[in-house]
Amino acid sequence: MQRKVYVPGVAALLAALLAGCTSGSGTGDASDDSKPGDSGSSAAAAEPGRYRTLPEPCGEVEPGTLDAMLPGLKEMDDGEQREKAYEGTPAVTYDTDRRVGCSWKVESSGASHRLLLDFERVVSYDSTVSDDERAAEVYATKLRGADLSRPASSEPGDEEDGESSGTRSAKESDDAAGDKAQGGVAQDGKAARSARRDDDKGKSEESGKSGESGKSEKGDKKDGKKGGKGDAEATAPSTTPATPPAGLEPRTLDDLGDEAFLDDALTTAASATRHRTVTVVFRTSNVIVTIEYDEQPGRRTDVPDSKEMQDKAQELAESLAGAFDE
């Protein structure tokens, strides 16, 4: 009886199966960093920003600078209270790698002074938009909030008209996250800007009160009475303009970070003492630094000096910008 041999056929079948498995295993060479839906696209992602962390703001201001900006600080009698005043008060934030802040406040017999620092590190979640580009958009929003615009020499890509709807949507989302991270700074900035808008209203109220005072004074003269000096000061109309003198008005600044601006708001409402808030904002790469410097005199007739406050705020801004560049 003749036997049938099947070994060669089995070997051929095994060889074919082995070859098929080997050719199908090439998919394992794909990059682990590929994104779903890329379909092998090799487009490079936008570059990350220069800064990955933020410094601790309460330690970024020299004691001598605090002495100059906060009169009465070094004259505090209580040593423990003076030490705490120098240390400042850290802002409450939820992510110290994204946003941090610090504030100082000193009250003296002549006036009260407040200094606030805010450091915001901007991160873009759009792979086609770099962190620096996203930071420039956030800065532009702050610039428009101060009723200012970029100089004509700015790149067209930085203008508001060049923003796409998708970019604006991402901006609104990031801005909302930033406000949640540090609501106090945003509220302070809004208060300073709204104070300027209320200037005209305050002047109208003062004018109205002045007119009423004039009528009352005539009546007093008929009765043989004369108003006291204190009453005259309380009802005298303001002669100080709501905006600073020429050359000190809100403006963009040169040679400070990548771009910067200064805002100056004087509150002249009749129901409160006058106070001035000077704000300096500058961007360096993907970090935006905000400085708010506020002075409120003890007497309503006193008006904070615009030039002095602006000089001090700009000096601090230049010092911080230099620290970021190191």
Side-chain angles (χ1 to χ4, degrees):
M1 182 176 181
Q2 187 177 3
R3 293 183 178 180
K4 293 182 181 181
V5 180
Y6 297 97
V7 174
V10 173
L13 179 60
L14 291 175
L17 291 174
L18 181 60
C21 292
T22 302
S23 63
S25 63
T27 56
D29 295 334
S31 173
D32 293 335
D33 294 334
S34 59
K35 297 179 181 180
D38 282 352
S39 301
S41 175
S42 58
E47 294 183 0
R50 175 180 177 183
Y51 303 102
R52 301 299 183 89
T53 60
L54 290 170
E56 201 286 303
C58 290
E60 291 297 309
V61 185
E62 296 292 336
T65 301
L66 292 174
D67 290 338
M69 301 185 75
L70 305 171
L73 177 58
K74 61 181 178 181
E75 288 83 9
M76 286 184 175
D77 296 329
D78 190 325
E80 184 178 353
Q81 183 181 3
R82 182 172 61 251
E83 182 178 355
K84 289 183 178 179
Y86 273 108
E87 291 176 353
T89 303
V92 178
T93 60
Y94 300 101
D95 187 351
T96 55
D97 283 336
R98 288 292 305 276
R99 196 163 192 174
V100 291
C102 190
S103 61
W104 297 260
K105 185 175 182 179
V106 174
E107 296 183 359
S108 61
S109 57
S112 66
H113 294 79
R114 181 183 65 92
L115 173 64
L116 183 146
L117 290 186
D118 175 50
F119 298 162
E120 179 181 3
R121 186 176 68 90
V122 180
V123 178
S124 172
Y125 294 104
D126 186 342
S127 62
T128 63
V129 179
S130 69
D131 292 347
D132 282 23
E133 291 171 335
R134 180 70 188 96
E137 294 170 358
V138 176
Y139 170 85
T141 301
K142 295 178 180 291
L143 189 68
R144 290 191 297 271
D147 297 326
L148 294 172
S149 60
R150 280 192 171 100
S153 59
S154 296
E155 296 181 4
D158 291 338
E159 297 297 330
E160 180 183 7
D161 294 340
E163 295 173 4
S164 65
S165 59
T167 302
R168 289 180 182 175
S169 177
K171 179 199 305 181
E172 294 172 358
S173 177
D174 284 0
D175 288 344
D179 289 342
K180 289 181 179 179
Q182 188 161 334
V185 176
Q187 292 299 326
D188 287 340
K190 291 179 181 178
R193 292 190 293 273
S194 63
R196 183 192 299 156
R197 298 190 184 99
D198 292 340
D199 286 340
D200 293 338
K201 181 180 179 181
K203 286 183 178 180
S204 299
E205 292 178 354
E206 287 185 4
S207 299
K209 290 187 177 181
S210 177
E212 293 176 359
S213 175
K215 293 179 181 179
S216 177
E217 187 175 347
K218 290 181 180 179
D220 289 342
K221 286 183 179 179
K222 290 181 180 180
D223 296 336
K225 297 181 182 180
K226 189 174 183 180
K229 182 179 179 182
D231 294 337
E233 289 183 350
T235 57
S238 172
T239 58
T240 303
T243 56
L248 297 175
E249 63 276 354
R251 60 197 183 278
T252 57
L253 302 174
D254 298 327
D255 302 324
L256 180 60
D258 294 326
E259 49 188 343
F261 72 86
L262 181 148
D263 194 13
D264 189 323
L266 176 65
T267 299
T268 58
S271 60
T273 58
R274 304 171 190 177
H275 72 272
R276 184 182 298 280
T277 301
V278 172
T279 304
V280 176
V281 178
F282 70 88
R283 179 183 69 84
T284 173
S285 185
N286 62 318
V287 169
I288 297 176
V289 176
T290 301
I291 300 171
E292 286 187 6
Y293 183 36
D294 184 277
E295 178 181 339
Q296 181 169 335
R299 296 188 304 174
R300 185 182 175 280
T301 53
D302 294 340
V303 179
D305 186 271
S306 181
K307 185 179 186 306
E308 180 182 3
M309 293 184 65
Q310 289 189 20
D311 288 346
K312 291 178 178 179
Q314 288 186 76
E315 184 177 352
L316 174 58
E318 291 170 359
S319 174
L320 294 173
F324 272 97
D325 289 339
E326 293 178 355

